[in-house]
Amino acid sequence: MTLHHSKHHQTYVTNLNKALSLESSLTESADIPTRIANQQAIKFNGGGHINHSLFWKSLVPASSPHADTSNAPNLAKVLNADFGGLEKFKDKFSAALLGIQGSGWGWLVKGVENGKLDIVTTKDQDPVEAKYVPILGVDMWEHAYYLQYLNGKADYVKNIWNIINWNEAEQLFTSETIVQEQHLCISMAPLKILICGGGCAGPSLAFWLARCGHHCTIVERFPALRASGAQIDLRAQGIQVAKRMGLLDVIRSKLVDEAGVVMVDTQGNSKATFMANKSGKGAQTGTSEYEIMRGDLVRILYDVTKDNVNYVFGKTVEHFEQDERCVTVHFSDGQIDTYDLLVGADGQGSRIRQAILPPDSPDTVRRLGVYMGYWFVPRADTDNNYRKMYHIPGSRMVMSRVHSPTEGQAYFTFRDDSEELRSLLRAPVETQKEFWAQKFQGSGWQTDRLLQGMKTTENFYCQDVVQIRTDTWSKGRVVLLADAAHCPSPLSGMGTTGALVGAYVLAGEINRNSNNLPQAFANYDKVLRPFVNEIQKFNPLFVTLAWPKTSFGIMILHFIAGLLAFFRIPDIVARLSKDEKGGWLVPEYPELKSALQA
């Protein structure tokens, strides 16, 4: 199938683009024979592209849950009524496939006007007639089966049923707004795409789209690559996406050595220890198997995209306007340019998001009642490869971790939902540092040492811990990505995973529907929203329990955590849990995989 997609299908796309380019130059030509021949090339190669595009969407690995017919209850009901059962339908469809003389295709189609199902065949690369909507298609050209089955065409037809994507067939059957061109085009022409934001999400999106032939530019307001920031991690579906990107090995080479989490008292005595699950089985614990510094991940993504993505540093999007043809972008340096698509990957404070929200939209920011400051500090002799958590009366908590032989990180947090503190984030950095010093000085354990390191650090950041929740992820030719659309908050541990997964889904849908961006964005929302809902689940009681107000509350927290650690409950739960967050399965986009292998 890889050869089929990367060679045969790619040939149709290449020749189609050549024919389309030639067609534009022949518009005023009197060379009628050449124009007729070119139109035949458009028909043949365009049909080959359209047919194969649906073919890939009709298939999934045999191990995928979508290969089960239970994913198509509505379609199965009609197949039972019209054909006398699913197996009888398969027999009739298989007979039609084997009856094709020469090269061609077999299709299950739905009538556009009457909605009735039928089995039809088409010759060579002729697409299905416009009066039908294709539900699933099977390629009966020799190149589809010869390498694996030689002349055993019947075995190919028999086994194709093991990899049919019944989930996709159900969606095509039940949709009332399907237009054939919307669902069959992958990329008739490359898009000119502007991505605002050069962190993790933007380059992850460009990684996929550039390999599919689209022209991507990333603008980043910082004057150089912002390869800095705190320790982050990959979890659950984020690990799967990194593997599909082929980056898991290079990520492993940059991992932070963090063995687990230790809760300590004011003398530094351990009250509870929770180890990372590095067995390769089950879910991650408080410390992920894939802990990495943000700067290292940013560099990795930059290195694998810099050769085919245009990076522009030191400027950003000032404002934009759009119509049905393009987005006109006005940059901070006064330049103006047009794009087919604008992606807002500009973080939880996204200006792109503010620009596309309806006027009466509710506040997209959900404050969780926690403030956080973090910075780098010199590593101390007492530091080791365990993250340490220290609770202080007054709903305060300090955390330290190390990431190199010379440096560590300090995280100071406290619980407070008063509006007065929000102005702190707009104050000068020195004012913010003074606030944290006064709030925590003399609090025991190593707080004074960590505060001392704050005075000279060049890596300081202060934030109100929030989620971003909005029903509006796109408008026209503008779409939001990652924290700009659905920040889950640092407390979830799923921010980086959400960015990589969101970029993968958005790239897949844009590439499949590049001629119909509204459909691409609707699919993006439909596919990704359940995952986002899962990673944004948050019980406010967690904040109360995790940041005890009194010494007695801290004692109770230590007692409960100690029991859980002693009986290894978190370890057992993690190993027995599924790696997929909420059971959400990362969708298959075979065309992205093929583009990566090309």
Side-chain angles (χ1 to χ4, degrees), residues 114 148 159 227 240 274 296 309 328 342 348 354 381 431 467 473 491 504 551:
N114 59 22
Q148 186 172 358
N159 291 328
Q240 297 177 38
F274 303 101
D296 287 334
V309 174
T328 302
L342 170 62
Q348 65 184 42
Q354 293 302 318
D381 293 339
T431 302
Q467 290 183 336
W473 285 1
L491 303 183
Y504 173 74
S551 297

Side-chain angles (χ1 to χ4, degrees), residues 8-20:
H8 295 292
H9 186 182
Q10 184 60 49
T11 299
Y12 292 120
V13 173
T14 300
N15 291 337
L16 174 60
N17 285 329
K18 289 180 180 178
L20 290 173

Side-chain angles (χ1 to χ4, degrees), residues 114-186:
N114 59 22
K116 291 186 177 180
L117 293 179
D118 200 359
I119 296 171
V120 300
T121 60
T122 55
K123 181 176 175 57
D124 295 329
Q125 294 298 353
D126 290 350
V128 171
E129 294 181 67
K131 64 181 180 179
Y132 297 120
V133 172
I135 304 302
L136 65 86
V138 176
D139 187 352
M140 291 304 294
W141 279 62
E142 191 177 65
H143 64 234
Y145 58 83
Y146 188 80
L147 282 179
Q148 186 172 358
Y149 294 96
L150 298 178
N151 293 322
K153 185 162 58 173
D155 289 335
Y156 165 71
V157 170
K158 176 182 178 181
N159 291 328
I160 199 74
W161 295 110
N162 297 326
I163 56 174
I164 292 296
N165 186 346
W166 291 103
N167 182 69
E168 176 70 15
E170 175 79 358
Q171 291 185 36
L172 292 171
F173 174 69
T174 57
S175 175
E176 297 179 358
T177 59
I178 286 178
V179 177
Q180 182 174 338
E181 290 77 11
Q182 292 178 355
H183 289 264
L184 303 186
C185 292
I186 290 182

Side-chain angles (χ1 to χ4, degrees), residues 473-595:
W473 285 1
S474 65
K475 181 180 180 181
R477 292 177 171 269
V478 182
V479 65
L480 303 176
L481 175 64
D483 281 358
H486 50 74
C487 173
S489 95
L491 303 183
S492 71
M494 295 295 287
T496 307
T497 286
L500 265 62
V501 171
Y504 173 74
V505 173
L506 181 57
E509 296 301 339
I510 288 174
N511 198 54
R512 281 184 173 178
N513 302 277
S514 60
N515 291 333
N516 190 338
L517 291 178
Q519 184 66 49
F521 299 157
N523 293 348
Y524 165 58
D525 192 305
K526 181 179 180 180
V527 172
L528 189 63
R529 183 77 65 170
F531 175 68
V532 168
N533 291 341
E534 188 64 36
I535 67 175
Q536 287 194 327
K537 285 182 178 179
F538 182 80
N539 189 337
L541 183 61
F542 168 76
V543 172
T544 303
L545 296 176
W547 280 267
K549 189 174 183 179
T550 66
S551 297
F552 180 74
I554 295 172
M555 183 180 69
I556 295 298
L557 176 63
H558 285 169
F559 176 74
I560 295 174
L563 284 178
L564 293 174
F566 180 79
F567 290 106
R568 301 183 62 190
I569 301 301
D571 295 342
I572 296 171
V573 170
R575 290 171 186 262
L576 295 179
S577 298
K578 291 184 178 180
D579 190 34
E580 296 89 2
K581 181 73 171 178
W584 185 85
L585 299 177
V586 180
E588 299 286 344
Y589 294 103
E591 56 272 24
L592 296 187
K593 180 179 180 180
S594 296

